[in-house]
Amino acid sequence: ASLHGSLSCMFTTWMDPNHGGIPPDLKVKARFGNPAFRNWHARLVERSYAIVRCLMDCHVKYSREEMEGLKKEEVLKECSDQGCRAASIEGPTLWPQQHDKMSVDSPNKEADVIAELRAYLHDSFGHPIRIDYGTGHESSFAVLLLSLCKIGCFCWGGTSNRDCNGGGKHLKSNPPPEVISLASLSLFHAYLNVTRELQRDYMLEPAGSHGVWGLDDYHCIPFYLGACQMMAREKWQRQNQQPKKKNTNNEVGTEQGSKNEPENEGANRKPDSPYIPE
């Protein structure tokens, strides 16, 4: 929820001049690569510590022991609002970066975790020098989500502060598939809103040709997720297909049955949705 709030803030404000955003330079006549993207990416680097720090703070704050009496919707709303603030202009002030060097022998690996997550986040939105975007940058965002899953951020109230800070060796259990699917679809939707806006307004150059990767010069994973959804849809339809009733009586009965069949079929038909859990 925190990362979703940060992505939503990036989408709505980072390019809007009315909210202190960085619009593309309209004087540039190049086919690809608006130089204003470099300023946008510099803002990402500047605020990435606050985004990741807020994300981990929300994960640690709402551990299993501290969620008693709290509604899930309230927690998600608060984390989303915090993530939005972390990506805003006040983010670096609310979550200042600590430059103190930690002891090598210290068991707390929090600084290393934040540094690694920031690197994945920086590479998820294109290259600031080449001003391009491709499936490699998209893969960096997928690795970011994988890293968050590994440290327990996808487990609802799942892990302790020790695990999130790197003190624990392994999580006891992976989050269930339905949790991963919902979180991935929600975060990828917010992520695509940002990247599509960058590709369109800053005219990012495709980093290579789509070739065998997919149908798009920039993205591959959305098509993969869409194919998975179509497979789930077909599976759901096969499982819930209503067999037609055969009337073995005389011809009159058959005619009556055929007349009543559409009405009964419409009454018993289930909604055509692939998202109903099995």
Side-chain angles (χ1 to χ4, degrees):
S2 175
L3 181 58
H4 191 280
S6 297
L7 292 171
S8 299
C9 178
M10 294 164 65
F11 172 64
T12 57
T13 65
W14 280 27
M15 294 183 65
D16 188 353
N18 297 324
H19 295 86
I22 305 173
D25 187 356
L26 301 180
K27 298 180 181 180
V28 177
K29 301 299 181 181
R31 179 185 178 188
F32 289 115
N34 195 295
F37 173 71
R38 295 192 176 108
N39 297 330
W40 188 97
H41 197 276
R43 172 173 292 185
L44 172 66
V45 175
E46 176 188 2
R47 301 183 184 179
S48 62
Y49 180 87
I51 293 174
V52 176
R53 174 75 267 179
C54 175
L55 189 155
M56 296 187 65
D57 286 349
C58 287
H59 168 63
V60 173
K61 179 179 179 181
Y62 295 106
S63 61
R64 188 185 303 274
E65 294 80 7
E66 298 180 10
M67 283 189 56
E68 296 182 359
L70 296 176
K71 293 183 178 180
K72 185 176 181 179
E73 292 76 11
E74 296 176 355
V75 174
L76 294 177
K77 180 65 167 58
E78 180 177 348
C79 290
S80 180
D81 293 342
Q82 291 294 323
C84 185
R85 295 181 66 187
S88 67
I89 192 174
E90 58 181 347
T93 304
L94 296 175
W95 290 271
Q97 185 173 356
Q98 299 177 0
H99 297 282
D100 299 336
K101 294 184 178 180
M102 299 181 63
S103 173
V104 178
D105 299 331
S106 175
N108 191 348
K109 302 297 183 181
E110 188 178 72
D112 295 337
V113 173
I114 293 179
E116 183 173 348
L117 294 178
R118 290 184 67 196
Y120 296 142
L121 187 63
H122 295 166
D123 292 339
S124 298
F125 296 93
H127 197 282
I129 305 300
R130 298 191 301 265
I131 315 183
D132 62 1
Y133 179 95
T135 53
H137 302 102
E138 179 188 59
S139 299
S140 182
F141 185 75
V143 175
L144 172 66
L145 298 184
L146 174 62
S147 302
L148 294 176
C149 182
K150 288 296 184 180
I151 64 177
C153 290
F154 280 10
C155 295
W156 179 250
T159 58
S160 63
N161 191 0
R162 178 178 61 86
D163 290 326
C164 188
N165 290 342
K169 294 182 179 180
H170 299 284
L171 296 177
K172 293 183 178 180
S173 60
N174 294 322
E178 56 269 18
V179 173
I180 296 179
S181 61
L182 292 175
S184 300
L185 290 175
S186 176
L187 290 173
F188 251 99
H189 180 265
Y191 170 71
L192 286 175
N193 287 337
V194 179
T195 55
R196 286 303 193 189
E197 186 179 44
L198 295 175
Q199 296 156 13
R200 181 188 66 243
D201 294 352
Y202 289 133
M203 299 179 294
L204 301 185
E205 183 178 3
S209 178
H210 60 271
V212 299
W213 285 101
L215 304 176
D216 188 84
D217 283 332
Y218 295 105
H219 292 285
C220 174
I221 295 180
F223 297 99
Y224 177 78
L225 297 178
C228 294
Q229 289 179 305
M230 291 301 296
M231 291 181 62
R233 178 190 183 92
E234 294 175 359
K235 180 179 179 181
W236 185 91
Q237 289 177 333
R238 289 195 301 267
Q239 292 177 346
N240 294 274
Q241 186 176 5
Q242 296 292 334
K244 294 184 179 180
K245 297 181 179 180
K246 296 183 180 180
N247 195 336
T248 57
N249 297 332
N250 54 21
E251 296 179 357
V252 178
T254 304
E255 293 179 358
Q256 293 177 352
S258 60
K259 292 181 181 180
N260 296 331
E261 183 177 355
E263 183 178 355
N264 296 333
E265 182 180 356
N268 298 327
R269 184 176 181 181
K270 295 184 179 180
D272 186 15
S273 173
Y275 308 110
I276 298 179
E278 298 180 357

